[in-house]
Amino acid sequence: MTTPRSTYRGRFAPSPTGPLHFGSLVAAAGSFLDAKARDGEWHLRMEDVDAPRCSMAAATEILRALEAFGFAWDGEVIWQSRRTDIYAAALDQLKAAGRVFPCACTRRELADSAIAPDGAAIYPGTCRDGLPAGRGARAWRVRVKDACITFEDAIQGRIVSDLAREAGDFILFRADGVFAYQLAVVVDDAEAGITHVVRGADLLTSTSRQIFLQHCLGVSTPSYAHLPVVINAAGEKLSKQTHAVPVDISRPVPMLFAALEFLGQRPPQELSGASVHELMAWATAHWQLDQVVRGPALPGGQNPAG
Ligand code: GLU
């Protein structure tokens, strides 16, 4: 193994379910600039663990768009779809430590459960002490017990989560045979030695679960900074589902300029006529994390560059 040149290791981890849009550009820019302004590394991970929802075409398009916008990543791109053995080993470690249990419950059986803030059912504990007679394991869940997680987010401030109330025993291995996002992210961030996670505030509720899993697996916890999420005029997060407009790779400067402004940075107007590399160089040299608005979401146009 080579020794990292710097102590800061950041990452951007898009799910290739569709093309890059203004919201994902903001997350890419925030994580990239925070890393590069601190002379750090910025790694790229394709979160394609949920293969049926992802496509190689979308992944290729994201890579092309990132290049066009002047993002250069360190090392090889990591593909989650090629790492299931590593996730299986982590789950085995948790099985051996008695931290997880098999669950036979179907979605329908859980339909009456309380709902977590992120919309998922809070597990009522049916299989926690053993599978009901005659039932087989469908999924694997982690035992949350009374875990309370507190962390300092570099943008959003102190976050306190009562995991039993907010998430319950959450899934690590799904009934459809796919490792859950929460497990994959924790394993990947730990293995890549990620020290700083900068991403959208829609993932704040996941962060407490991920810190809990880091404790279960005995790996270190990175620093977190959650950027406000870009919402459209209807108040919805920009995404494929809300028909966010893909970034225009033939004209990257206006959208990158808008992404910097969304992040509270103030690029001088004359840079709107500069090259994308000049704009990125300015943004790296002038990046100020404390200018990013503290809050879960902020409006940003579907295509603010017009
Ligand atoms: N793949 C996730 C997404 O695109 C991001 C995960 C992360 O940054 O931890 O929303």
Side-chain angles (χ1 to χ4, degrees):
M1 253 174 88
T2 53
T3 316
R5 284 190 317 278
S6 72
T7 51
Y8 186 122
R9 283 167 78 88
R11 68 2 171 237
F12 176 54
S15 302
T17 52
L20 208 67
H21 51 72
F22 185 65
S24 34
L25 177 68
V26 162
S31 60
F32 177 81
L33 293 170
D34 200 55
K36 293 299 158 183
R38 297 207 241 168
D39 201 20
E41 293 179 6
W42 186 71
H43 295 262
L44 192 56
R45 179 168 77 230
M46 279 295 162
E47 298 213 317
D48 58 349
V49 68
D50 191 354
R53 292 186 55 237
C54 298
S55 82
M56 190 45 118
T60 309
E61 211 175 319
I62 290 172
L63 295 176
R64 275 224 333 265
L66 289 172
E67 277 169 350
F69 277 82
F71 296 98
W73 51 91
D74 292 289
E76 301 275 303
V77 177
I78 302 289
W79 299 81
Q80 284 189 330
S81 54
R82 301 178 191 165
R83 294 171 52 76
T84 46
D85 289 354
I86 298 166
Y87 308 140
L91 186 61
D92 283 345
Q93 180 188 333
L94 296 172
K95 285 179 187 171
R99 310 284 317 231
V100 291
F101 62 89
C103 175
C105 300
T106 61
R107 204 179 282 261
R108 182 176 302 181
E109 285 167 328
L110 298 176
D112 294 337
S113 310
I115 300 297
D118 67 356
I122 298 182
Y123 189 63
T126 322
C127 302
R128 193 182 292 141
D129 299 317
L131 289 171
R135 299 285 299 272
R138 291 166 48 82
W140 283 81
R141 293 178 181 271
V142 64
R143 287 176 208 284
V144 163
K145 295 205 182 124
D146 54 359
C148 190
I149 301 290
T150 302
F151 67 98
E152 289 299 330
D153 187 87
I155 297 169
Q156 308 294 343
R158 171 166 294 214
I159 307 289
V160 180
S161 300
D162 172 351
L163 273 191
R165 206 171 46 78
E166 293 173 20
D169 298 331
F170 54 95
I171 288 193
L172 300 189
F173 184 71
R174 298 180 353 196
D176 60 359
V178 173
F179 286 96
Y181 155 74
Q182 309 292 358
L183 180 68
V185 167
V186 167
V187 169
D188 291 342
D189 282 343
E191 202 188 76
I194 298 302
T195 58
H196 291 73
V197 172
V198 180
R199 61 185 178 188
D202 52 320
L203 293 162
L204 256 182
T205 54
S206 287
T207 303
S208 308
R209 288 175 228 186
Q210 290 169 18
I211 294 174
F212 175 70
L213 279 183
Q214 287 155 1
H215 296 169
C216 294
L217 286 164
V219 299
S220 51
T221 294
S223 307
Y224 289 95
H226 286 84
L227 308 166
V229 164
V230 185
I231 49 175
N232 62 21
E236 303 159 325
K237 179 189 163 208
L238 297 196
S239 70
K240 194 175 146 200
Q241 286 70 33
T242 59
H243 311 292
V245 178
V247 296
D248 179 357
I249 65 169
S250 68
R251 278 178 76 233
V253 169
M255 220 185 221
L256 181 60
F257 203 96
L260 294 172
E261 290 187 323
F262 179 90
L263 288 166
Q265 315 300 302
R266 295 201 175 77
Q269 242 348 287
E270 57 267 28
L271 280 180
S272 57
S275 73
V276 76
H277 295 287
E278 284 165 336
L279 183 55
M280 208 50 123
W282 180 92
T284 306
H286 295 85
W287 171 250
Q288 284 186 294
L289 186 69
D290 58 9
Q291 292 302 305
V292 178
V293 169
R294 176 180 177 164
L298 268 185
Q302 279 282 24
N303 190 355

